[in-house]
Amino acid sequence: MQTLVYGPTMQATGAFDGGKITEQKPIGFPGEGSVVKRVSTLFYWAWAHANQEGHIPLHPHQAFEIMTYVVAGKGEHGDTLGTKSVIGAGGVQLMQTGSGVSHEERFFADMEGFQIWFEPSVQEAVKTKPTYNQYEHEEFPIAMGEGFTKKTVMGYGSPISIVADAQMWDVEVEAGATFTQAIEAGRTLTALAIRGDGSWTYASQAGKDTAFKHKDFIVARADQAEEAFITAGDAPLRLILIDVPSHVDYPLYPKR
C-alpha cells in the first residue's frame, strides 16, 4: 500500500481576474509546478477562493468532463449552449464538453469551490454532443455515522453520471473521531484536507500512521483491497475524497 502526502508547496497555484480569484492546485496544468501531474482519470484539480467577485471570461473546452463543486458562497456559469445559471454551497455544475463548448465563470464574493476535470476516452468523447447539468446540495445522499458525515457527490445514490470512472465524497469528521474508507484493489484514493489536520492508517498496517495537515493532498494506491482509517486531530476535519482506477484500458491525454 503506497500513501504519499503532498503539502501546499508541492502543489501548483493560480490566479484569475487580477488576483480576485486565487487557486491552490493539487493537480495543475503542465508547467504550473504541481508534483502530481494526474491520477489516472483525474486530470486536473483546482481549489479556488474569491475574496471579492471575480470573473473568468469565455474560453473553450473539449472532451473532458468538468465539475465545479461549491463549498461556500455562490458561483455563476454561462456557456455557448445558452446556459446561464447560479449554484450555491454544496451544489455541482457539470459540463461534459464532448465535441467542444465555451463557458465563462463568475465567483461571487466569499465563494470557495473546486474545478475538477475527469478524462474519458478523448477519441470517443469528441464524437459526442456537449452537455451541461446542474445539481443542488439537497439532491445528494448523505450518510451519518459515529462522529462523521459522508456526502456522496459521485457514486452510489448520486444523481451524477459521468463516462470517466470516478467516485467522489465530501466527508466531515468530528475532532478525535475516525472515519473508515474502503479502497478496492487496483484503485487509487485521493484526498484533499480542506479543514483540519489528521492521520491516516490501514487495517493491515495498524500503528503505522501517516500524518497530514490542512491543505495537504494525499494519494493512496491499493494493489490489494484495503480499509483506510482516517482520524481527525484536535479540530474537525473535512476531506474531499476522489477514487479512480489506478489504470484504464484507453490512452490518456499526454501530460508533462
Side-chain angles (χ1 to χ4, degrees):
M1 189 74 203
Q2 183 186 56
T3 305
L4 300 173
V5 179
Y6 301 90
T9 61
M10 303 175 78
Q11 302 172 42
T13 58
F16 293 96
D17 200 359
K20 294 175 183 176
I21 302 169
T22 58
E23 293 181 322
Q24 175 183 320
K25 301 183 180 187
I27 304 174
F29 292 127
E32 290 189 324
S34 57
V35 172
V36 180
K37 308 303 182 188
R38 70 150 70 245
V39 182
S40 181
T41 59
L42 177 55
F43 182 83
Y44 175 81
W45 188 346
W47 180 15
H49 293 78
N51 292 326
Q52 55 183 310
E53 184 176 313
H55 178 243
I56 302 173
L58 202 66
H59 57 282
H61 291 291
Q62 190 178 46
F64 293 94
E65 298 175 291
I66 299 176
M67 169 193 290
T68 298
Y69 180 57
V70 180
V71 175
K74 292 183 178 181
E76 183 179 74
H77 167 96
D79 61 41
T80 49
L81 301 175
T83 310
K84 198 77 167 181
S85 66
V86 174
I87 194 75
V92 169
Q93 296 170 323
L94 178 66
M95 292 190 301
Q96 292 175 289
T97 61
S99 59
V101 62
S102 293
H103 80 132
E104 60 180 335
E105 304 159 81
R106 188 174 305 279
F107 285 34
F108 296 108
D110 300 320
M111 179 181 165
E112 175 188 1
F114 304 101
Q115 188 168 103
I116 306 170
W117 297 24
F118 298 98
E119 183 178 350
S121 168
V122 170
Q123 292 179 348
E124 295 302 317
V126 295
K127 302 174 187 176
T128 65
K129 291 182 179 180
T131 65
Y132 172 84
N133 288 284
Q134 182 166 311
Y135 307 89
E136 306 295 337
H137 170 69
E138 293 76 16
E139 298 179 61
F140 295 95
I142 297 177
M144 301 185 69
E146 187 174 346
F148 72 87
T149 61
K150 179 181 182 180
K151 174 182 176 181
T152 300
V153 181
M154 290 196 303
Y156 181 75
S158 168
I160 292 177
S161 177
I162 66 172
V163 175
D165 186 351
Q167 300 176 82
M168 177 175 168
W169 303 274
D170 183 345
V171 177
E172 298 184 63
V173 187
E174 295 175 7
T178 298
F179 166 75
T180 303
Q181 175 68 33
I183 314 174
E184 295 179 7
R187 309 284 299 185
T188 298
L189 180 66
T190 66
L192 183 63
I194 65 170
R195 305 285 188 272
D197 307 331
S199 63
W200 185 298
T201 191
Y202 300 98
S204 64
Q205 300 175 3
K208 296 182 179 180
D209 293 356
T210 299
F212 61 88
K213 298 183 180 297
H214 177 224
K215 298 184 179 182
D216 282 354
F217 180 49
I218 303 108
V219 179
R221 178 176 170 175
D223 294 324
Q224 298 179 345
E226 269 288 7
E227 282 192 324
F229 298 104
I230 303 167
T231 302
D234 296 333
L237 172 66
R238 187 172 180 182
L239 291 169
I240 305 300
L241 302 174
I242 299 177
D243 174 284
V244 295
S246 298
H247 303 283
V248 294
D249 61 0
Y250 54 84
L252 294 170
Y253 186 81
K255 193 171 185 180
R256 296 180 176 86

